[in-house]
Amino acid sequence: MADFVESSVRASGGHGADPWTGFRAAPARGSDVGVLVLSGSSGRIEVERCRLLAREGVAALSIRWFGGPGQPPGICEVPLETFVSALARLRAAGAGRISVLGVSKGAEAALHLSVTEPRVDAVVALSPTSLTWANIGPGRDGSTKPHRSSWTWRGQPLPFVPYAPNWTASEPSGVPISVLGWYEQSLRACPDRVPAAALPVERSGAELVLVAGGDDLMWPSLRYAEELAARRRAAGLPVRLVTRADAGHRPRLPGESAAPASATFRYGGTPTADAALGAAAWPHIRRALLGPPRGRGSGRDSGTGTAASAAGQDSSK
């Protein structure tokens, strides 16, 4: 008998949510723990990651949240209600503890959900941002500009930082590029937009695990993660920060295959460093998703890790 079962899932939308399709993998014996798994700007459904988590005892659901039927073609004014409807599907299937695990833009959405949806118990943010950014790709009108927010909540766009105009990559034409400089230039160009766009994790009651590499060439996720951790600490809230100086934008969890090479972007890191970062974070990710051991109290982690470690070790104190 297989140790997990898998199925295709779909929702018709409504109540502010877009329709979506997805993939669910769950332990064959059942589970009262559920996690919504969100990809980054690839928009893919994270089948391999769901299967990995199902083997760990978690019912894992990954959805396509843009680019599908009835959805905006780009990451532009995506309703957070779409993710809330996916969380509701996990609850309906018997999950009492609910978490969200997202990478990159998926981490941006996950962090917003930790604030807007109080029934989220934990968030794992891989290569996160500390801000809401403008759209990547077109909205429902087919236009990419003027810049709009990546997200809406209850029909209202969330405050965002737009991208600086006239940015050019430093790499020659025809080779993969790093867009790290674009994000850094955009912050310098629009400092007045930053305070309102800050992700308010100090208002989240969810457990928070942040994972970031110091060699991220997509955006400065290590700096962003440190900013998120500082906001949590200032509010007296727990946070777990796991870093590795030589890892890039795509940490890999134990048992996952290496991220494929890209002909478009430079992500930084190496397969070895990215896997080492995922391995260092894995015990904390499992703990956050599965929750405290039965019969041993809350077991909530009050670590407030701050320092990057060249060895990829958790630096919480």
Side-chain angles (χ1 to χ4, degrees):
M1 180 177 174
D3 55 355
F4 66 90
V5 293
E6 56 187 55
S7 59
S8 298
V9 189
R10 64 178 60 248
S12 57
H15 302 289
D18 287 336
W20 51 263
T21 58
F23 172 85
R24 181 178 182 269
R29 65 183 182 277
S31 177
D32 62 355
V33 178
V35 59
L36 176 62
V37 182
L38 302 178
S39 69
S41 55
S42 69
R44 67 174 170 264
I45 295 173
E46 297 281 5
V47 172
E48 182 184 33
R49 188 157 285 174
C50 284
R51 288 172 174 162
L52 170 69
L53 294 170
R55 293 188 182 98
E56 296 294 325
V58 179
L61 170 65
S62 183
I63 70 170
R64 184 177 181 87
W65 45 273
F66 74 95
Q71 299 177 333
I75 305 176
C76 183
E77 297 187 338
V78 175
L80 292 177
E81 286 88 347
T82 301
F83 306 111
V84 173
S85 73
L87 297 175
R89 184 64 63 90
L90 286 168
R91 292 190 190 95
R97 180 178 178 84
I98 296 289
S99 303
V100 187
L101 186 156
V103 59
S104 190
K105 288 297 287 188
E108 189 178 324
L111 291 164
H112 276 301
L113 287 169
S114 78
V115 178
T116 58
E117 178 49 67
R119 291 176 293 178
V120 171
D121 295 290
V123 162
V124 177
L126 309 178
S127 304
T129 172
S130 59
L131 303 162
T132 299
W133 284 95
N135 56 297
I136 299 176
R140 298 178 197 273
D141 59 0
S143 299
T144 58
K145 293 183 180 179
H147 286 141
R148 285 156 287 175
S149 182
S150 292
W151 321 105
T152 66
W153 176 242
R154 296 175 177 170
Q156 298 301 311
L158 301 186
F160 66 95
V161 178
Y163 301 111
N166 305 319
W167 177 83
T168 56
S170 59
E171 295 86 356
S173 177
V175 302
I177 66 170
S178 166
V179 295
L180 174 64
W182 197 5
Y183 283 94
E184 293 174 330
Q185 182 176 322
S186 298
L187 287 177
R188 293 191 296 268
C190 302
D192 57 316
R193 303 288 290 269
V194 171
L199 278 155
V201 292
E202 66 276 8
R203 302 207 316 257
S204 170
E207 295 184 45
L208 185 56
V209 177
L210 306 169
V211 182
D215 192 41
D216 191 334
L217 297 181
M218 289 297 288
W219 60 20
S221 61
L222 177 54
R223 187 175 79 211
Y224 292 152
E226 290 170 341
E227 290 172 358
L228 292 168
R231 289 176 204 160
R232 293 283 287 185
R233 292 194 305 272
L237 295 172
V239 62
R240 177 68 65 176
L241 171 59
V242 186
T243 73
R244 185 179 171 97
D246 57 351
H249 191 69
R250 301 185 291 179
R252 307 304 289 170
L253 304 181
E256 290 185 327
S257 56
S262 171
T264 307
F265 296 112
R266 296 173 60 205
Y267 291 99
T270 65
T272 299
D274 296 346
L277 176 57
W282 183 234
H284 308 295
I285 293 172
R286 288 186 74 257
R287 187 177 185 279
L289 299 184
L290 293 170
R294 299 292 190 271
R296 292 180 60 186
S298 67
R300 294 251 171 160
D301 186 358
S302 59
T304 55
T306 58
S309 167
Q313 298 175 349
D314 168 42
S315 55
S316 294
K317 297 178 180 179

